[in-house]
Amino acid sequence: MRGETVRLTIGERISWYRRRRGLSQRVLAELVGRTEDWLNKVENNRIQLDRLSVISSVAEQLDIDLADLLAERSFVDWGPDTGERTVPSLRAALLTYRQLIPTGRAARDLHSPDALLERVTAVWDAYQSSLFGYMTGILPGLIEDLVYAVDQYDGADKRRCQRLLALTYQASTGVLTKIGETDLACIAAQRGYDLAEQADEPVVLTSLIRSVCHALLSAGRHSDAVSLIDNTPATIGTLESTSSRAFVSVYGTMYLTGAMAAARADDQAMTTEFLRQAELAAQQLRRDDNLLWNAFGPTNVAIHRVATAMELGNVPLALDLGPRVDPSPLPVERQVRHRLEVARAYSARNHRDDALRLILDAEQVAPEQVRHHSLSRDLVLTWIRRNRGPRDEQLAYLAERLNVA
């Protein structure tokens, strides 16, 4: 199956794994609390299965990972920005034993904290511009240089490098979840969280809690992610009128991630509460900002209201709110993610042309993000399968660019 699922829809993957497990449609449907007719339509692409809470339930009953149903790991193309060392080099940097045994670390050039900050800033700028290939090319060397700097420096410089390394692990978590490397994302998130605790910086620690939550979501552990966010105030405290703008930003963003986790866990009450907490933070911040690369503010809260509505199956609400949100104040990654979400809502109401237009617009802005995201890939595949008329050239060429044709 590995290597073949890139050209299968989620429904077709369910069919393959169901037959591999020796289950009939009736049995699997009963296990997930649905009808046999519903599952038949899902497997034959007559119903587009896009709620992660339902997909997770199916994966659990099939005893497979959520990622097995969503998509294969993405192949990162070589290019002028990536060079010829991408995900395998990043995996090696994350898993090498030399990071755990100081005596095993080879000597290398020691860079100043200021120089390392410039490189960390470049990585985060690339993430928010959806330049994922570029990130996989430069993250391995940056991680290795930062690990060495943490080992060599003392005092304030050491703590500063710990902070930078934690943020670099967070950026690694972000790009790894985007390209489907779920297990590596979990490792990067845990490494970053541990460093943030060592550095004893509440703002960075709060930001890394969000990163751990993202990793849990990518692994399909939605309820665990909800519990993490729900219990976080006991660790970091609550929002105060005197809180710094940076803390307000990471605090609000953390609750937005929690809202997505709650929606994917099909928990309407917790989703509403987490969105409320994020809204309070946005009101305190008063405007969209990008402190610590969080892109937090009223616009991001509005975007998440649309995304959580879709996760909870409230398509009318998503279609009411989504087209009215202007994501332009936010970085490219957030803008494109919102377009994909609204496209999903349009597709759910059989407005395929509107949905296709949004994906094509998004591709113009961030081709890598659209190519790697399971949502855009599955939408395009499903449209291809459903097409019974003349060949749609726009759709066909898009499918080729996404490598799902």
Side-chain angles (χ1 to χ4, degrees), residues 33-291:
R34 301 284 178 145
T35 66
E36 184 178 354
D37 179 63
W38 173 86
L39 183 58
N40 181 272
K41 289 177 179 176
V42 166
E43 292 186 353
N44 287 282
N45 301 308
R46 285 179 284 165
I47 292 178
Q48 188 161 351
L49 188 56
D50 54 12
R51 289 187 62 196
L52 281 177
S53 59
V54 180
I55 298 171
S56 295
S57 178
V58 174
E60 181 181 359
Q61 296 303 328
L62 290 172
D63 189 30
I64 58 177
D65 290 331
L66 175 63
D68 290 320
L69 293 184
L70 290 181
E72 288 277 337
R73 294 182 179 91
S74 294
F75 181 79
V76 178
D77 293 319
W78 288 344
D81 291 332
T82 65
E84 297 180 1
R85 294 291 183 270
T86 56
V87 175
S89 294
L90 181 52
R91 179 181 291 109
L94 289 169
L95 298 181
T96 179
Y97 73 90
R98 290 194 301 272
Q99 295 193 28
L100 307 178
I101 306 174
T103 57
R105 295 175 190 152
R108 57 193 300 123
D109 291 338
L110 180 60
H111 299 272
S112 71
D114 285 342
L116 291 167
L117 172 59
E118 288 183 9
R119 292 167 65 188
V120 173
T121 299
V123 161
W124 273 102
D125 288 345
Y127 178 79
Q128 294 194 322
S129 299
S130 299
L131 300 176
F132 303 143
Y134 170 77
M135 290 182 70
T136 61
I138 67 172
L139 275 168
L142 177 58
I143 289 173
E144 291 167 358
D145 285 344
L146 279 164
V147 167
Y148 187 67
V150 168
D151 187 47
Q152 295 297 310
Y153 284 117
D154 294 313
D157 283 341
K158 182 185 187 72
R159 288 192 297 276
R160 189 179 178 195
C161 289
Q162 285 176 322
R163 178 180 186 272
L164 291 174
L165 182 54
L167 291 171
T168 301
Y169 281 134
Q170 183 179 2
S172 300
T173 303
V175 71
L176 288 166
T177 58
K178 296 291 187 186
I179 62 178
E181 294 283 351
T182 302
D183 292 344
L184 283 180
C186 290
I187 292 169
Q190 187 62 57
R191 291 273 178 88
Y193 181 86
D194 292 344
L195 274 163
E197 277 196 313
Q198 293 173 29
D200 192 25
E201 292 202 29
V203 171
V204 178
L205 181 61
T206 306
S207 193
L208 266 297
I209 288 172
R210 175 174 69 99
S211 185
V212 173
C213 185
H214 270 303
L216 290 172
L217 287 180
S218 70
R221 296 170 57 187
H222 306 144
S223 295
D224 288 343
V226 172
S227 296
L228 172 66
I229 302 303
D230 194 32
N231 291 311
T232 288
T235 303
I236 64 170
T238 57
L239 205 60
E240 306 292 340
S241 60
T242 56
S243 298
S244 70
R245 290 183 62 82
F247 183 77
V248 173
S249 181
V250 296
Y251 188 89
T253 308
M254 178 191 72
Y255 273 109
L256 289 181
T257 308
M260 289 299 296
R264 291 176 184 179
D266 213 19
D267 189 335
Q268 172 75 65
M270 196 63 83
T271 301
T272 301
E273 173 58 20
F274 284 170
L275 285 173
R276 186 183 73 84
Q277 292 290 344
E279 181 68 42
L280 291 173
Q283 290 173 359
Q284 187 164 332
L285 207 58
R286 296 185 180 180
R287 67 173 186 269
D288 295 313
D289 217 330
N290 198 26
L291 300 169

